[in-house]
Amino acid sequence: MNQRDIIKNFDRVPADIVAQAAQYQPAILADVAGRRGALHGRIKALRPRMKFAGTAFTVEVRPGDNLMIHAAMALARPGDVLVIDGKGDQTSALMGTIMMTACRQLGLTAVVIDGAVRDSLEIDEMDYPVFSVGTNPNGPTKQAGGRIGHPVSVGGVTVHPGDFICGDGDGVVVVEREKIESLLPLAAHKVVAEAKRIAQIKEGKTSAPWLNESLVAAGVLQAGESL
């Protein structure tokens, strides 16, 4: 392990942009980002009500070892989200109540981990946002090196330090730091458009206006045909 494995300083999405983006569901942001950026569905909230938005503080660990998570907690800033590449390992938990309590005390917004956690009932009572691949009672070791502040792969998505990241009962979405601000007007427009469409459906206009054209384009119907 050397200092090159730990990058302490990196640009983050400004707090005001995080606050604006936090108004939108992860699903809305994923759609306007080109239907990409959503982590694999195996990474989900411990409880469906949990949600968060913040800036990614990335950590890479060896499976079953949380040494670098402790180091990351010492370096992360309030508003950061610990985003941990735990290699999808579920044979032992990387974090539990003690570490989650410390994260909350430090002002960290949430924890997203491609690995397992434990003490889920106590974390539920804390109401601290934790997203993981599951739980396991086994505890971790604290022996192996890793990396902090480097790009990581979590749930099949590359996450760079400082990226915008948010989650709710549907899952977790990551948007590149340089891109998130430009998506905000698109997200606002989509929210309005969806509300309008829902109102139309409630009025009885249930048929999707684009359906026939898409069926023709897919070769299901011939030009001029309709359902």
Side-chain angles (χ1 to χ4, degrees), residues 72-73 76-82 102-110 128:
M73 290 167 60
R77 302 176 185 175
D80 283 343
V81 176
L82 289 186
C103 285
R104 166 170 279 177
Q105 187 67 24
L106 290 165
L108 304 187
T109 299
Y128 184 68

Side-chain angles (χ1 to χ4, degrees), residues 37-59:
L39 308 192
H40 191 284
R42 69 174 182 267
I43 299 177
K44 61 185 70 175
L46 279 183
R47 299 294 183 268
R49 72 175 184 280
M50 294 178 173
K51 58 183 180 179
F52 72 91
T55 50
F57 192 96
T58 55
V59 192

Side-chain angles (χ1 to χ4, degrees), residues 1-216:
M1 179 61 59
N2 56 60
Q3 278 300 104
R4 286 177 296 178
D5 291 319
I6 299 178
I7 298 176
K8 298 181 180 181
N9 299 307
F10 48 82
D11 293 331
R12 291 165 167 81
V13 177
D16 62 321
I17 301 301
V18 171
Q20 292 178 56
Q23 300 176 62
Y24 303 108
Q25 297 175 3
I28 292 290
L29 293 173
D31 279 357
V32 299
R35 289 177 170 77
R36 56 181 295 276
L39 308 192
H40 191 284
R42 69 174 182 267
I43 299 177
K44 61 185 70 175
L46 279 183
R47 299 294 183 268
R49 72 175 184 280
M50 294 178 173
K51 58 183 180 179
F52 72 91
T55 50
F57 192 96
T58 55
V59 192
E60 181 184 1
V61 302
R62 298 284 183 89
D65 192 282
N66 74 0
L67 176 63
M68 298 307 292
I69 302 176
H70 284 277
M73 290 167 60
L75 297 172
R77 302 176 185 175
D80 283 343
V81 176
L82 289 186
V83 181
I84 303 161
D85 175 9
K87 313 303 180 186
D89 180 65
Q90 297 184 64
T91 61
S92 64
L94 290 175
M95 300 179 73
T97 303
I98 291 175
M99 295 179 74
M100 298 304 181
T101 302
C103 285
R104 166 170 279 177
Q105 187 67 24
L106 290 165
L108 304 187
T109 299
V111 171
V112 175
I113 181 168
D114 200 345
V117 298
R118 63 179 180 179
D119 306 326
S120 59
L121 293 180
E122 293 176 354
I123 295 170
D124 181 23
E125 292 173 358
M126 289 170 56
D127 201 24
Y128 184 68
V130 174
F131 290 64
S132 71
V133 298
T135 60
N136 193 305
N138 283 337
T141 60
K142 297 172 173 59
Q143 301 170 343
R147 299 203 303 174
I148 292 172
H150 290 261
V152 294
S153 177
V154 176
V157 174
T158 299
V159 184
H160 292 83
D163 280 350
F164 176 82
I165 183 167
C166 62
D168 65 7
D170 288 341
V172 179
V173 169
V174 176
V175 180
E176 295 93 330
R177 175 179 58 82
E178 303 87 352
K179 188 176 181 180
I180 182 63
E181 184 174 6
S182 69
L183 296 182
L184 297 180
L186 300 178
H189 175 78
K190 185 168 180 63
V191 168
V192 171
E194 289 194 353
K196 180 180 178 181
R197 179 63 188 132
I198 290 170
Q200 291 173 340
I201 292 171
K202 290 180 177 179
E203 293 172 355
K205 302 173 183 177
T206 57
S207 297
W210 46 263
L211 180 58
N212 238 58
E213 183 179 345
S214 293
L215 289 171
V216 171

